[in-house]
Amino acid sequence: MYDIIIIGGGPAGLVAAVYARRAGKSVLVIEKATFGGQITYSPKVENIPGFVSLTGNEFAEKLVEQALELGAEVEAAEVVSLRDYETSKVVVTDSGDRFEARAVIIATGARHRLLGLDNEQALIGNGISFCAVCDGAFYADKIVGVVGGGNSALQEALLLSEQAKKVYVIQNLDTLTGEVALREQLAAKKNVEILLGTVVDGLRGEDELRAVTLRTLANDSIRTLALDGLFIAIGLVPQNEPFAKLVELDERGYVQADENCATSVPGVFVAGDSRHKRIRQVTTASADGAVAALAACDYIDSMK
């Protein structure tokens, strides 16, 4: 039996592993895809304290190296269920393996909702982005598009308008759905053009985004729009399905937790983008990891 099992190997999960090992707890980190999480897609990261600039892969590698050096164990598998037996928790993977621990930290993150287009995955980090705060500076004096019409998309467009030469907001509906104040701010921007009733129908470029194919819904007309970058802001999907029947989720599927990252189930904690919160950045995910790990250690010590 492990002291702590961490489900998810992104920044939140790996930082949790570091803190738990430094507290002398045995730790297993289970990750279904890439250790390091979504940040590995970022070719350049400039918002991590202590680093002027580094790639997402470099940051992920340093986190993994640190966790392993401290003695954390890792397992490449997809978790399909989490079972609570009060004094212990059992994590079951897609291969049928069962791992037992005194406490569990859910750090599965949230994935960006995609457009579902050919070559979309390959272009993430090569012209397709999801975060203007993270990547906007790379598009100074360039032409970018933002897909979406809600608050998140409008906020992304406003941030990008301060640096980009031209910003296209591409919305499939006939109106923007974001707040009136945001719409008014965008309307006042001379370098922002809003394309309503329009969808991105295709992506041009093999190794790097060069243009998008746009389809006007009213008449099915097609045109090509040259872009240096495309920011997709059509929502996030928390990856909490395996825990939906165990811990309390909010209406959008994020795990509810208190300031100690404790969920509705004693001994089960949550860290990072999978929990209910407003700001989702690598620094806040890392902070969650530390808080959840220390809270899990306190929980285990209280059982003795």
Side-chain angles (χ1 to χ4, degrees):
M1 179 188 288
Y2 292 93
D3 288 321
I4 301 173
I5 291 177
I6 300 167
I7 306 172
L14 292 171
V15 170
V18 167
Y19 272 74
R21 282 301 301 145
R22 286 176 59 84
K25 307 302 182 190
S26 57
V27 174
L28 172 66
V29 182
I30 305 176
E31 168 59 46
K32 70 176 181 179
T34 304
F35 281 91
Q38 292 186 45
I39 198 169
T40 58
Y41 292 117
S42 297
K44 191 176 184 181
V45 183
E46 297 178 322
N47 61 349
I48 295 175
F51 297 93
V52 173
S53 175
L54 77 171
T55 69
N57 258 328
E58 288 172 335
F59 179 63
E61 287 172 1
K62 290 178 184 294
L63 278 179
V64 173
E65 180 183 354
Q66 186 179 20
L68 292 176
E69 181 68 25
L70 288 168
E73 297 180 34
V74 296
E75 180 79 19
E78 181 175 358
V79 171
V80 295
S81 69
L82 171 60
R83 301 170 187 175
D84 176 32
Y85 296 100
E86 295 187 358
T87 57
S88 70
K89 322 295 175 190
V90 172
V91 175
V92 183
T93 69
D94 55 350
S95 60
D97 291 331
R98 297 163 57 92
F99 300 95
E100 190 174 7
R102 293 178 174 83
V104 167
I105 298 174
I106 299 169
T108 45
R111 60 179 174 82
H112 292 278
R113 197 182 302 277
L114 300 177
L115 301 172
L117 300 174
D118 291 344
N119 206 35
E120 187 172 7
Q121 286 282 357
L123 290 173
I124 294 174
N126 296 297
I128 289 182
S129 183
F130 306 96
C131 177
V133 171
C134 312
D135 302 330
F138 305 137
Y139 296 96
D141 298 319
K142 295 185 178 182
I143 301 172
V144 299
V146 177
V147 182
N151 285 343
S152 295
L154 302 192
Q155 288 166 348
E156 295 282 284
L158 283 169
L159 285 170
L160 290 166
S161 71
E162 298 297 325
Q163 301 178 74
K165 179 169 65 176
K166 179 78 173 183
V167 179
Y168 292 94
V169 178
I170 306 163
Q171 162 74 315
N172 62 335
L173 302 177
D174 290 329
T175 182
L176 298 175
T177 57
E179 296 173 358
V180 173
L182 293 175
R183 283 183 272 163
E184 290 176 346
Q185 290 177 56
L186 270 185
K189 296 284 186 178
K190 294 182 178 180
N191 63 335
V192 174
E193 184 174 343
I194 299 169
L195 306 177
L196 298 174
T198 304
V199 297
V200 177
D201 217 33
L203 305 170
R204 302 287 184 89
E206 293 299 322
D207 300 321
E208 187 175 350
L209 182 73
R210 302 294 185 188
V212 296
T213 302
L214 299 180
R215 179 164 58 90
T216 303
L217 296 177
N219 55 18
D220 269 345
S221 63
I222 299 292
R223 68 176 172 120
T224 299
L225 179 67
L227 291 178
D228 297 300
L230 183 68
F231 288 75
I232 301 175
I234 55 175
L236 292 169
V237 181
Q239 302 186 86
N240 292 326
E241 294 87 352
F243 326 112
K245 294 182 179 179
L246 180 63
V247 299
E248 182 182 350
L249 306 180
D250 68 12
E251 67 279 0
R252 294 188 298 158
Y254 292 97
V255 179
Q256 296 278 24
D258 64 15
E259 64 178 10
N260 293 316
C261 294
T263 73
S264 56
V265 177
V268 178
F269 303 84
V270 62
D273 289 358
S274 55
R275 82 174 182 92
H276 176 87
K277 59 194 296 186
R278 191 173 72 86
I279 305 298
R280 291 183 171 85
Q281 294 285 307
V282 64
T283 48
T284 61
S286 300
D288 280 355
V291 171
L294 295 175
C297 291
D298 288 343
Y299 169 80
I300 292 169
D301 293 343
S302 72
M303 297 170 62
K304 297 177 181 178

